[in-house]
Amino acid sequence: MGDVTKREEGKESNFNTMIIKDQKVPNTLVSSSVYIRADQPHHISEIDMIRMQTFPRDYDFLDAGVQYVCGMSVPPLMMKRIAAEINKQWFEKG
């Protein structure tokens, strides 16, 4: 990990550096971490971040950074399931 961090960021270590591996569920996306792909030695793209957080491809982030918005948000598909469960438990009784 130290070698990757030194190569990509010029530092010996960084607590917030996450390695994203193919075929594995990625770590939680946060607004301040650095994400590096394991299969290719570079940072993940904004498209990768959008997919990880289940935002629609055409979502308009306005002037905010994609990583900031995705990292500070509950993923839309997760929120859909939470809302469905609240509806089921609170409003569909009987």
Side-chain angles (χ1 to χ4, degrees):
M1 178 68 120
D3 292 339
V4 172
T5 304
K6 184 166 177 84
R7 182 178 65 236
E8 291 296 316
E9 300 176 46
K11 300 179 195 175
E12 288 297 325
S13 69
N14 183 348
F15 180 75
N16 290 330
T17 300
M18 305 290 179
I19 304 292
I20 304 298
K21 298 178 181 176
D22 285 344
Q23 308 304 321
K24 293 201 175 206
V25 175
N27 296 8
T28 301
L29 184 71
V30 295
S31 62
S32 60
S33 289
V34 175
Y35 297 90
I36 299 173
R37 295 184 60 87
D39 60 336
Q40 303 167 12
H42 61 76
H43 297 274
I44 65 172
S45 68
E46 289 185 348
I47 297 297
D48 291 332
M49 291 179 201
I50 291 168
R51 288 179 182 156
M52 286 168 54
Q53 290 297 97
T54 71
F55 276 84
R57 288 183 189 175
D58 62 348
Y59 188 82
D60 186 0
F61 291 91
L62 299 174
D63 293 330
V66 171
Q67 183 171 351
Y68 179 77
V69 172
C70 288
M72 297 297 287
S73 302
V74 174
L77 290 183
M78 181 180 187
M79 184 52 67
K80 179 181 178 182
R81 295 194 75 187
I82 291 169
E85 193 62 30
I86 290 171
N87 184 56
K88 181 176 126 186
Q89 290 183 24
W90 288 24
F91 301 113
E92 294 180 3
K93 290 185 178 182

